[in-house]
């Protein structure tokens, strides 16, 4: 049986659409994903992004839970850099109280990751070259440093935190989250408080990361499952997987490493149709890479009307070349290569298309090719 296949959804807006339309599409896709047999349905957290409606994972997950029955739901990922441990535990504790045992609490570092990216850029004087590892393309890395150092990023960051607030180190906020989930939370002097809702919640805690940095190492050291981003940072996926496994220590919840790897995919009935539907993706990625945030996903006609430069090509090359596009057989084979090379225990796929039926159809075709739906007791 192939490894489990799950979905990451950004609740993307499309050109000419609005937020309500994007969210209704997400609810419909989640219902379909459950019918198709996908293992998990995760939603992202992005802020100040014109083309992404998934800004508050817990709120969106509550709506998805209400229209689905059994598919696991989760965050990919809650950004710990501008939330307290208590707010995170209360949000997901509330979800678990209403829909017990269905939620994955996926955590990311956000603000801390920006600082690390700036340090890593300064440290690596010799750039990593593109390579192919056992059939898997590992492209040159993209540097986020100019975007993270921009005035727009500074403005966004100022609105995500109270004035003067400092993000807690990853280990510290994890300590607080686990202590609040276990309940009661004590200060060592006999004083205690209990998170209601939150204490006792049945959550599966994950860490997500885009490199072999702190998130990968911490997930391993704490014996937590880890999700590595091939779709966001394909150049660093092998580094992330290696760092996670090298640092892994068995925990009460996980006896051996458990790695999920993400990928951008688009499936259609044949390769030519898929390639046609994929045309707007490069223009959408360009909007992200220029630091303005993802725009509403363009139509094919809008994308074809854009005058590309060589600089534009370089800006999006790693994302476009590592997106798996084609017929069900073509994409399934590419996903099997990704799984084999990374040793992933699960795969997480994300698909964006201008027309909603094309996106739904992509997930349906892939699920059938993957062998879904599996019997419930085999998931």
């Amino acid at each position: 049986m192939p490894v489990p296949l799950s979905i990451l959804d950004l609740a993307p807006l499309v050109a000419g659409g609005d937020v309500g339309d994007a969210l209704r599409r997400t609810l419909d896709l989640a219902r379909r994903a459950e019918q198709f047999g996908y293992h998990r349905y995760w939603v992202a957290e992005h802020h100040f992004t014109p083309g992404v409606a998934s800004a508050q994972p817990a709120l969106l997950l509550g709506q998805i839970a209400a229209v689905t029955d059994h598919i696991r739901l989760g965050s990919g990922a809650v950004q710990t850099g501008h939330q307290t441990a208590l707010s995170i535990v209360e949000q997901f504790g509330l979800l678990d109280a209403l829909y017990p045992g269905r939620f994955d609490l996926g955590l990311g570092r956000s603000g801390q990751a920006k600082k690390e990216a700036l340090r890593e850029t300064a440290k690596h004087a010799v750039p990593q070259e593109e390579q192919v590892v056992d059939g898997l393309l590992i492209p040159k890395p993209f540097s986020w440093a100019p975007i993270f150092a921009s005035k727009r990023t500074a403005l966004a960051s100022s609105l995500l935190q109270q004035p003067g607030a400092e993000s807690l180190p990853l280990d510290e906020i994890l300590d607080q989250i686990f202590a609040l989930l276990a309940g009661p939370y004590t200060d060592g002097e006999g004083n205690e408080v209990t998170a209601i809702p939150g204490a006792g919640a049945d959550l599966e805690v994950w860490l997500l990361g885009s490199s072999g940095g702190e998130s990968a190492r911490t997930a391993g050291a704490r014996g937590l499952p880890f999700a590595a981003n091939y779709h966001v940072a394909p150049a660093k996926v092998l580094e992330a997987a290696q760092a996670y496994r090298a640092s892994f220590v068995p925990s009460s919840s996980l006896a051996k490493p458990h790695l999920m790897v993400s990928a951008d995919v688009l499936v259609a009935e044949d390769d030519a149709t898929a390639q046609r539907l994929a045309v707007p993706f490069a223009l959408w990625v360009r909007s992200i890479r220029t630091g303005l945030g993802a725009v509403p996903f363009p139509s094919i006609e809008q994308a074809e009307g854009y005058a590309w430069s060589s600089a534009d090509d370089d800006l999006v090359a790693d994302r476009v070349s590592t997106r798996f596009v084609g017929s069900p057989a073509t994409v399934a084979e590419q996903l099997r290569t990704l799984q084999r090379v990374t040793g992933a225990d699960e795969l997480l796929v994300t698909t964006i298309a201008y027309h909603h039926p094309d996106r739904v159809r992509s997930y349906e075709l892939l699920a059938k090719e993957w062998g879904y739906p599996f019997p419930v007791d085999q998931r």
Side-chain angles (χ1 to χ4, degrees):
M1 189 172 73
V3 300
L5 202 61
S6 298
I7 290 175
L8 173 65
D9 185 13
L10 309 182
L13 282 75
V14 299
D18 58 26
V19 171
D21 174 59
L23 295 173
R24 284 186 289 272
R25 290 181 177 202
T26 281
L27 297 182
D28 179 67
L29 181 59
R31 287 191 293 262
R32 305 292 190 91
E34 184 170 76
Q35 295 168 6
F36 299 155
Y38 284 90
H39 183 50
R40 307 177 195 270
Y41 196 97
W42 283 10
V43 298
E45 179 182 342
H46 292 283
H47 301 280
F48 306 109
T49 305
V52 172
S54 182
Q56 297 292 332
L59 288 174
L60 184 52
L61 289 171
Q63 298 297 312
I64 295 172
V67 298
T68 56
D69 295 318
H70 59 77
I71 191 170
R72 286 201 67 85
L73 305 174
S75 53
V78 169
Q79 298 178 8
T80 61
H82 47 75
Q83 294 198 57
T84 66
L86 177 62
S87 66
I88 295 169
V89 168
E90 287 178 339
Q91 290 165 25
F92 279 77
L94 187 153
L95 291 172
D96 182 68
L98 290 171
Y99 308 98
R102 290 186 61 190
F103 291 95
D104 303 321
L105 174 54
L107 302 168
R109 292 183 305 139
S110 59
Q112 300 96 317
K114 293 184 178 74
K115 295 175 185 177
E116 183 174 282
L118 293 171
R119 290 197 301 268
E120 290 295 309
T121 299
K123 185 170 67 176
H124 290 105
V126 180
Q128 173 184 315
E129 293 300 317
E130 179 179 299
Q131 57 181 318
V132 176
V133 179
D134 195 16
L136 181 69
L137 176 62
I138 304 297
K140 294 180 180 180
F142 174 79
S143 174
W144 288 95
I147 296 173
F148 288 160
S150 71
K151 292 183 178 179
R152 183 180 185 275
T153 299
L155 172 60
S157 298
S158 72
L159 293 169
L160 286 167
Q161 288 184 318
Q162 294 292 333
E166 291 286 340
S167 300
L168 289 178
L170 181 60
D171 267 320
E172 190 171 336
I173 197 164
L174 284 172
D175 285 343
Q176 291 187 3
I177 287 172
F178 282 113
L180 287 163
L181 286 173
Y185 186 97
T186 64
D187 64 0
E189 297 180 0
N191 303 302
E192 62 181 42
V193 292
T194 301
I196 302 294
D202 181 13
L203 304 176
E204 190 171 292
V205 179
W206 288 68
L207 287 184
L208 283 75
S210 299
S211 73
E214 185 182 6
S215 293
R217 296 192 301 269
T218 300
R222 287 178 174 262
L224 298 174
F226 178 66
N229 294 325
Y230 184 68
H231 83 287
V232 170
K236 299 293 185 180
V237 68
L238 296 183
E239 170 192 310
Q242 181 180 13
Y244 170 59
R245 292 195 182 96
S247 60
F248 187 82
V249 177
S251 66
S252 59
S253 59
L254 201 59
K256 61 182 181 179
H258 190 92
L259 174 69
M260 180 156 60
V261 176
S262 65
D264 268 311
V265 308
L266 181 61
V267 182
E269 279 73 6
D270 55 71
D271 289 345
T273 301
Q275 292 291 344
R276 172 71 172 162
L277 295 176
V279 167
F281 183 73
L283 187 57
W284 183 76
V285 172
R286 181 189 177 278
S287 69
I288 299 170
R289 293 290 176 81
T290 53
L292 297 178
V295 296
F297 199 76
S299 67
I300 293 174
E301 294 73 22
Q302 286 175 309
E304 288 179 331
Y306 180 77
W308 281 89
S309 67
S310 58
D312 289 329
D313 289 332
D314 291 342
L315 198 62
V316 304
D318 64 319
R319 289 287 304 271
V320 173
S321 62
T322 56
R323 193 187 196 201
F324 301 154
V325 177
S327 68
T330 296
V331 172
E333 181 58 30
Q334 292 172 312
L335 286 171
R336 284 191 287 268
T337 297
L338 177 66
Q339 187 276 326
R340 183 185 70 250
V341 176
T342 61
D345 302 288
E346 298 187 37
L347 294 173
L348 182 70
V349 296
T350 183
T351 295
I352 300 181
Y354 181 75
H355 294 292
H356 183 60
D358 292 329
R359 191 158 74 117
V360 173
R361 183 64 171 156
S362 176
Y363 284 119
E364 180 182 18
L365 290 170
L366 180 57
K368 289 179 179 178
E369 184 71 21
W370 207 249
Y372 279 153
F374 297 154
V376 172
D377 61 2
Q378 292 184 31
R379 290 190 190 131

